[in-house]
Amino acid sequence: MKLKKLLNSIDYLDIKGDYNKFIDIKDICYHTDKIVENSIYVAIKGFKTDGHKYIKKAIENGAIIAVVEEFTNDECVQIKVPDSRKALADLSYRFFDEPSGELNIIGITASNGKTTTAFMTESIFNYNNIDTAICGTVELKYKDVFIPSVLTTPESRELQYHIRNMADKGVENLIMEVSSAGEYLNRVRNIEYDIVTFNNFTPEHLDMHKSAENYFAEKSRLITEAKPSAYAILNMDEPKIKSLKSKTCAKVIGYSFENENEDIFVKNIDLSTGFGRFELLINTPIEADDFIIEPQSLNVKLNVAGFSSIMNAVPAIMIGLFMGIDAEKVLRGIEQFKGVERRFEIIYDQDFKIIDDHYANRINVDVTLNTLSQMDYNELVILYALRGSRGVEVNRDIANETCKWMEKIRCKKLILTTSEDIVGEKDFVTEDELKVFKEELEKAGVSARIVKTLKEALDISLEAVKKGDVLLLGGAQGMDKAAGIILPKLAEGKSEEKKKEILKPLETRIC
């Protein structure tokens, strides 16, 4: 692309050197290992290192221009900008010819359940032969492309590249999980959404956002910055989310589990088997693009467990209806959904059950233990992997919420692990995080055994669980590898047929 066209896409403060000698730009790069000849290198100040330190290497590898937040002594043309991440997003958007307008893009945000809602929506689309791409916590997938995710939202350059590739390959729909980090770090800048949802909110990621207010502000941008033609599906039971109705130009559709007068009302919830059954009542006619969703009652049956699955299903169903899919086909599509790994996933169901759950914050804990309180079992063993490097308050909240439910869930043993054998630096549990968790348990009179390694903690858990019991494997990164350790152990000494049955949940694992 012509350099002048690219420069018109960013607000730059100053230029050092003669850029007029450069005409054609072959790529936009921000990592020196991915530099191509005649590319622009964008120097980003990251959490671990500063891209300005690597300008010389970028030039040696073939870059001809560096985009910087401050001029350096490196011998090259430098373009100074107020914010390198914004510049990366804007340059990439222009370089890949503004691709998001060529797809129907669905943006899903929430503190909990983004992934499940996204995959439920994909299940509805797949059942109805609607070609779609998905981008989120688990994977980036479209046509013949499949990339396990490292980030919930890819960096802006990769995201714009893949959206361009999707459009070129004929993909018409993209389902995106939109994280607060994606908003804060401008990874999703210049994405035009057609349907957006905000499903729930609980303060987290305070290490990045510094306050709950900042975190909510970033989450809210998906709604507040939505275009007037977009549809915003909002959980009106959450006061903060409800407040966004007056702060967006999008057409708002509200749903509720508490207020029967909202556009959508959810009632007659049944969790007796663990699998969700409920009635979704559409109270008023809802105008979509060129049709009307008439008032009606839908009886929904899910083949995934937990109250959280019901919460996540409601926006997925509404997305399907806004896509013009017949209501009965929406219901059939969501029935096909068998779950996302580590989201209240029953990975073993024989003489006892093992439930693997991304038990990552206060709301996760509340929903998970609430569901367990309504299920039939003898006793519960909880193995929880503490959240590392996520802050004292997150761990305090999880400890308090766990203690609140202890008497209602027949928990005979609570085991905590810092998972030192599997976590990396970014997920290492600090002394303060472990200390506050222990303090909150002591205040509530709840005893727990603390184990340093995940492997030993799993061994102790298996010793504690008996016939008719449930073992809950709870936690985020520190519990990701648990299924891959415990299921092979349970398969030892079994027949080949039984071994295959026990190991089946690992066949498509990404964690």
Side-chain angles (χ1 to χ4, degrees):
M1 182 171 284
K2 302 301 181 186
L3 175 59
K4 286 189 176 180
K5 185 177 180 181
L6 280 170
L7 289 182
N8 287 337
S9 69
I10 61 173
D11 296 321
Y12 55 87
L13 303 173
D14 199 1
I15 297 179
K16 175 183 174 182
D18 180 13
Y19 70 92
N20 289 306
K21 59 184 176 181
F22 302 125
I23 299 174
D24 289 318
I25 300 299
K26 299 301 182 185
D27 207 342
I28 310 297
C29 308
Y30 62 93
H31 196 292
T32 54
D33 291 342
K34 297 181 180 180
I35 297 289
V36 300
E37 289 292 327
N38 297 326
S39 61
I40 291 177
Y41 170 68
V42 183
I44 291 175
K45 292 182 178 180
F47 295 107
K48 299 288 186 183
T49 190
D50 184 349
H52 291 73
K53 297 178 181 179
Y54 306 100
I55 291 174
K56 181 180 179 182
K57 184 178 178 183
I59 299 302
E60 290 172 350
N61 287 357
I64 52 177
I65 294 173
V67 174
V68 300
E69 290 184 8
E70 53 195 39
F71 288 138
T72 70
N73 293 324
D74 298 287
E75 292 297 324
C76 64
V77 175
Q78 298 180 35
I79 300 172
K80 186 177 179 180
V81 296
D83 187 324
S84 291
R85 286 189 179 276
K86 282 185 179 179
L88 177 65
D90 293 343
L91 288 167
S92 301
Y93 179 61
R94 180 62 60 88
F95 184 80
F96 291 110
D97 203 19
E98 305 177 5
S100 70
E102 300 177 36
L103 278 73
N104 178 60
I105 301 184
I106 297 154
I108 297 167
T109 200
S111 296
N112 309 287
K114 294 186 295 295
T115 302
T116 302
T117 297
F119 277 93
M120 284 177 163
T121 304
E122 183 196 39
S123 180
I124 293 169
F125 284 17
N126 287 345
Y127 180 81
N128 289 280
N129 299 312
I130 297 174
D131 187 32
T132 189
I134 192 162
C135 176
T137 305
V138 176
E139 63 193 14
L140 171 65
K141 181 177 67 175
Y142 60 96
K143 295 296 187 181
D144 57 346
V145 176
F146 174 81
I147 304 170
S149 294
V150 176
L151 304 171
T152 301
T153 312
E155 288 290 356
S156 56
R157 189 266 173 208
E158 275 70 35
L159 185 57
Q160 294 294 340
Y161 163 79
H162 283 293
I163 295 176
R164 165 48 53 208
N165 205 24
M166 291 172 196
D168 290 349
K169 286 176 176 285
V171 175
E172 295 182 356
N173 302 283
L174 167 59
I175 303 164
M176 276 186 62
E177 295 180 50
V178 183
S179 66
S180 61
E183 294 282 10
Y184 176 66
L185 300 174
N186 287 297
R187 292 173 184 156
V188 293
R189 184 174 167 86
N190 302 314
I191 304 298
E192 297 178 26
Y193 302 97
D194 297 277
I195 302 174
V196 292
T197 77
F198 197 160
N199 306 348
N200 55 68
F201 174 76
T202 187
E204 58 177 32
H205 300 302
L206 302 187
D207 53 322
M208 175 182 291
H209 300 297
K210 307 307 179 189
S211 72
E213 290 74 19
N214 291 342
Y215 172 56
F216 182 72
E218 295 298 341
K219 298 291 283 184
S220 301
R221 286 172 58 187
L222 179 66
I223 310 302
T224 58
E225 297 177 5
K227 60 188 180 182
S229 60
Y231 299 96
I233 302 168
L234 304 182
N235 180 356
M236 295 305 207
D237 294 338
E238 300 245 7
K240 278 184 169 290
I241 297 176
K242 185 175 183 178
S243 72
L244 300 177
K245 183 174 183 177
S246 62
K247 300 173 184 175
T248 181
C249 295
K251 303 163 190 174
V252 173
I253 299 89
Y255 67 90
S256 173
F257 290 77
E258 301 170 3
N259 182 358
E260 62 184 15
N261 295 317
E262 285 294 347
D263 300 320
I264 313 296
F265 180 54
V266 181
K267 62 179 186 176
N268 296 332
I269 294 172
D270 179 3
L271 278 168
S272 57
T273 63
F275 299 103
R277 304 286 184 268
F278 63 97
E279 182 181 352
L280 187 146
L281 188 63
I282 302 174
N283 285 316
T284 58
I286 299 173
E287 291 188 17
D289 283 341
D290 52 3
F291 60 92
I292 293 176
I293 302 171
E294 298 290 352
Q296 57 193 293
S297 174
L298 305 178
N299 291 311
V300 185
K301 297 178 181 179
L302 302 178
N303 283 312
V304 283
F307 179 67
S308 59
S309 295
I310 295 175
M311 296 174 67
N312 298 327
V314 174
I317 291 168
M318 293 310 302
I319 290 167
L321 294 176
F322 273 111
M323 290 291 294
I325 303 171
D326 177 76
E328 284 303 312
K329 291 183 177 180
V330 169
L331 298 183
R332 298 293 81 75
I334 207 162
E335 276 188 48
Q336 306 304 306
F337 178 70
K338 303 299 184 184
V340 178
E341 65 183 60
R342 305 223 56 237
R343 269 63 177 181
F344 209 90
E345 181 186 10
I346 300 174
I347 61 171
Y348 183 80
D349 189 7
Q350 299 194 22
D351 45 341
F352 57 87
K353 282 184 172 69
I354 300 178
I355 296 172
D356 194 6
D357 189 60
H358 191 77
Y359 189 92
N361 58 44
R362 180 178 57 79
I363 287 183
N364 277 158
V365 176
D366 179 58
V367 170
T368 296
L369 298 186
N370 187 357
T371 301
L372 281 164
S373 74
Q374 299 178 56
M375 289 175 61
D376 293 327
Y377 58 86
N378 290 337
E379 292 185 293
L380 176 67
V381 175
I382 298 177
L383 169 57
Y384 173 64
L386 279 83
R387 295 213 71 181
S389 300
R390 296 305 190 276
V392 166
E393 292 309 314
V394 168
N395 282 282
R396 189 194 310 278
D397 286 347
I398 293 172
N400 284 334
E401 196 66 35
T402 301
C403 291
K404 187 181 85 175
W405 281 98
M406 291 304 282
E407 291 185 6
K408 303 175 186 176
I409 55 176
R410 305 186 299 284
C411 181
K412 68 177 176 181
K413 195 172 188 67
L414 173 62
I415 305 155
L416 307 178
T417 180
T418 51
S419 301
E420 292 177 14
D421 52 336
I422 68 156
V423 297
E425 181 184 354
K426 76 178 182 67
D427 300 310
F428 195 81
V429 179
T430 66
E431 289 184 13
D432 286 343
E433 287 170 331
L434 178 57
K435 180 181 176 184
V436 75
F437 210 102
K438 290 164 63 178
E439 286 176 351
E440 296 306 313
L441 294 184
E442 288 170 8
K443 285 180 191 175
V446 174
S447 60
R449 181 169 177 179
I450 301 170
V451 184
K452 288 186 176 182
T453 67
L454 178 62
K455 187 176 184 303
E456 183 185 357
L458 289 166
D459 289 341
I460 294 167
S461 301
L462 282 179
E463 290 172 6
V465 70
K466 306 299 180 189
K467 184 175 180 179
D469 288 350
V470 169
L471 169 57
L472 173 66
L473 305 178
Q477 293 77 15
M479 195 60 73
D480 274 348
K481 297 183 184 296
I485 298 171
I486 199 168
L487 292 182
K489 192 173 186 67
L490 289 166
E492 288 176 4
K494 301 292 194 300
S495 67
E496 286 304 311
E497 184 179 350
K498 197 69 172 174
K499 193 177 292 186
K500 185 176 180 181
E501 179 187 346
I502 293 170
L503 298 178
K504 187 172 178 59
L506 300 179
E507 289 178 0
T508 58
R509 277 256 156 168
I510 296 173
C511 283

